[in-house]
Amino acid sequence: MKYVLVTGGVVSGLGKGVTASSIGVVLKACGLRITSIKIDPYLNTDAGTMSPFEHGEVFVLDDGGEVDLDLGNYERFLDIKLTWDNNITTGKIYQSVIDKERKGEYLGKTVQVVPHITNAIQDWIERVAMIPVDGMDGPADVCVIELGGTIGDIESMPFIEALGQFSYRVGPGNFCLVHVSLVPVLNVVGEQKTKPTQHSVRGLRGLGLTPNILACRSTKELEENVKEKLSQFCHVPAANIVTLYDVSNIWRIPLLLRDQKAHEAILKVLNLESFPREPKLDEWVARATMFDTLQDIVRIAMVGKYTGLSDSYLSVLKALLHASVYCHRKLVVDWVASTDLEDSTKIEAPDAYKAAWNLLKSADGILVPGGFGDRGVQGKILAAKYARENNVPYLGICLGMQMAVVEFARHVMNLPHANSTEFDPNAKTPCVIFMPEGSKTHMGGTMRLGSRRTFFKVADCKSAKLYGNADYVDERHRHRYEVNPDMVPEFENAGLKFVGKDESDRRMEIIEIPNHQYFIGAQFHPEFKSRPAKPSPLFVGLIAASSGQLDKVLQGCSNGHVIPGKHQFSNGPYTPAAHQNTNGHAKKLANGVANGTYYPNGNGVHA
């Protein structure tokens, strides 16, 4: 097993996750099998209890693991399926060591950071690196490890020590350290400054790790004299210094690495020079090129409560982007704070109220993502009501689906007291109720987590067609509350159809309003399995409906192929067989990040 460690210096948020993912892409394009590990130095055992404002979204894996959003980067870029163990945290390591100590496995020794914690870290890395994540048998060839935080952080010290030992443990030729650092340009002087990187590398070397490759983040390509200076003072060959400068979209980052021969430098350090293949990145080139040429805009209103931080809905944004590129549309996301749609805001902040409703009414489609807590719930209900009454394409995910059900009960079925027991435990009409599930993984708890199967109950519905007329689909869940199964007959008699259910017929997974151009809600989170080359079908449906292409897309998905001459890269059309999952779901393609109105220019940090 070969290991590539990606560390960061100077400041956080430089794009270590994208760098690690892009390294994986380039090595995979050379013909190597890749796996990934993310190390987070925080004490939480996982990201499940963190606020999205604190740490961005919680990414959910097939096995029910709630992990750091960077694992979403790895899965999207590398098209792999990771496990809960692929995210290492300080909490997990200390918990495992304490559990062993309580069982007497240390034979009465004094348990210390060195060697017990550092050994536990190394053992965890070696064990997890052997787990196949690409659907093939046997371990991968290279494990890309990202160490969160920046060099010098107190909380990451045990990991730095462990990784220093680990580089010695696996031996020369099996370990490559890539250090991501900032080369700023001071406006006053106008020149690229190397001192921050010099100090960062000096700190790294002082902790026992020597970088083999420098990945320098800068607004523009590094000048040759700057490279030479960095090489001289950081003791890194100039050929091993690459610039990750700002590009038009994030799919160009692997191309930057390829063009600067980063793969050759890595393969040389890992004694894989005999590996003769040049990276095959034609699809990445075509995708990046096509993204830059998109002109026809599709405008989606994102109605949520964490709209102040785009990372809170990172996977949703990526899924929207993948779908919009599939439909050849330039994505614009208008952030609508759900609280701003409510009557209380009309009184307290009339300008914010008016602006929110103007954004909602000018959108081509509306998306209400998942969430927890009662803040902004009424605004989500109003967004669903507007979409239903005005035939505007709507996609509700998890809580977004539940609020669409509540809205339908209140305004179509004339049940004014309809509510979720999450927000009103004594609701007179509880149409969404607490339905706990004992987790089948080591995570425990009452939440329904991870991949679960949904069976289509109506063959002719839009969602089944979007999934290629499959009988069932496996999607990832993260919730506790679900539609009250005892009320389902009432809803269906009133015109709301439950077209997808679990194997017991008691858990409602997908809703549709048949006579609406596109009104779909999903209890699961389809965004977690969306990939640049395999967009989530329900997101494709939303974008297609919002851009007047739904009938053609439904026809193409039902026939198991893409629309002739429509969905092509610049170098030719997709081959449908390459873009279907094991259930025959016809899928396909993309990327960006945000501020108020979101124009995904690809310069963001996350893939």
Side-chain angles (χ1 to χ4, degrees), residues 236-483:
V236 176
N240 288 16
I241 300 175
V242 297
T243 321
L244 300 180
Y245 54 87
D246 293 347
V247 287
S248 58
N249 70 72
I250 212 162
W251 290 321
R252 295 196 178 277
I253 302 299
L255 307 182
L256 282 183
L257 293 175
R258 178 202 63 180
D259 294 343
Q260 296 176 71
K261 306 294 183 183
H263 58 287
E264 292 183 3
I266 294 171
L267 294 176
K268 184 176 181 180
V269 174
L270 295 178
N271 281 344
L272 290 172
E273 289 179 278
S274 59
F275 218 80
R277 303 184 195 175
E278 279 294 308
K280 296 180 179 179
L281 291 168
D282 293 348
E283 184 178 328
W284 284 83
V285 172
R287 186 186 298 122
T289 302
M290 184 182 64
F291 179 88
D292 290 340
T293 62
L294 295 175
Q295 294 183 345
D296 296 334
I297 287 176
V298 60
R299 189 175 290 274
I300 301 297
M302 176 94 82
V303 183
K305 63 189 242 185
Y306 305 115
T307 54
L309 179 67
S310 62
D311 275 4
S312 301
Y313 299 115
L314 187 63
S315 291
V316 175
L317 288 172
K318 297 309 172 188
L320 281 172
L321 194 59
H322 301 164
S324 64
V325 173
Y326 169 82
C327 293
H328 278 210
R329 290 295 182 270
K330 185 175 183 178
L331 176 67
V332 175
V333 175
D334 289 324
W335 296 96
V336 180
S338 53
T339 51
D340 287 350
L341 298 172
E342 299 174 354
D343 291 340
S344 58
T345 304
K346 185 177 183 179
I347 299 169
E348 297 166 5
D351 290 344
Y353 177 85
K354 183 179 179 181
W357 275 103
N358 285 342
L359 285 176
L360 192 73
K361 291 178 179 179
S362 64
D364 300 312
I366 296 172
L367 190 150
V368 179
F372 295 89
D374 60 357
R375 185 171 64 85
V377 160
Q378 185 59 32
K380 295 182 179 183
I381 291 173
L382 290 169
K385 182 174 185 285
Y386 177 81
R388 179 182 57 77
E389 292 180 342
N390 294 277
N391 202 30
V392 176
Y394 177 90
L395 177 59
I397 298 171
C398 197
L399 183 61
M401 165 184 157
Q402 296 169 8
M403 292 305 97
V405 170
V406 170
E407 187 281 321
F408 193 90
R410 289 181 182 179
H411 303 115
V412 177
M413 299 166 64
N414 297 316
L415 299 171
H417 300 294
N419 209 340
S420 167
T421 56
E422 181 179 2
F423 313 123
D424 182 4
N426 301 312
K428 293 181 180 178
T429 311
C431 51
V432 177
I433 61 172
F434 182 48
M435 292 182 67
E437 176 182 78
S439 177
K440 297 178 178 64
T441 72
H442 56 284
M443 300 292 288
T446 58
M447 196 178 289
R448 186 166 164 84
L449 276 169
S451 183
R452 299 288 187 274
R453 184 155 291 180
T454 294
F455 293 89
F456 290 105
K457 301 297 181 179
V458 180
D460 198 36
C461 63
K462 294 183 181 73
S463 51
K465 288 179 181 178
L466 287 166
Y467 278 104
N469 290 322
D471 295 327
Y472 61 85
V473 59
D474 296 318
E475 293 280 10
R476 297 174 184 179
H477 295 66
R478 185 178 186 249
H479 63 273
R480 291 187 178 89
Y481 291 81
E482 299 189 41
V483 175

Side-chain angles (χ1 to χ4, degrees), residues 3 26 33 41 46 96 116 125 167 194 273 281 288 350 357 360 371 383-385 404 428 469 471 530 562:
Y3 299 90
V26 175
R33 291 175 61 201
D46 59 44
S96 68
H116 301 100
I125 291 172
S167 65
T194 64
E273 289 179 278
L281 291 168
W357 275 103
L360 192 73
K385 182 174 185 285
K428 293 181 180 178
N469 290 322
D471 295 327
S530 183
V562 291

Side-chain angles (χ1 to χ4, degrees), residues 106-163:
Y106 294 115
L107 303 175
K109 291 184 179 293
T110 302
V111 180
Q112 298 173 295
V113 172
V114 181
H116 301 100
I117 294 295
T118 51
N119 284 348
I121 293 168
Q122 295 175 69
D123 293 343
W124 193 301
I125 291 172
E126 279 196 327
R127 174 176 60 84
V128 174
M130 301 301 287
I131 300 172
V133 295
D134 56 4
M136 299 171 65
D137 294 331
D141 301 308
V142 180
C143 177
V144 180
I145 305 166
E146 178 194 346
L147 175 62
T150 55
I151 296 304
D153 293 346
I154 292 174
E155 57 265 28
S156 62
M157 288 301 181
F159 292 102
I160 295 288
E161 176 62 30
L163 289 164

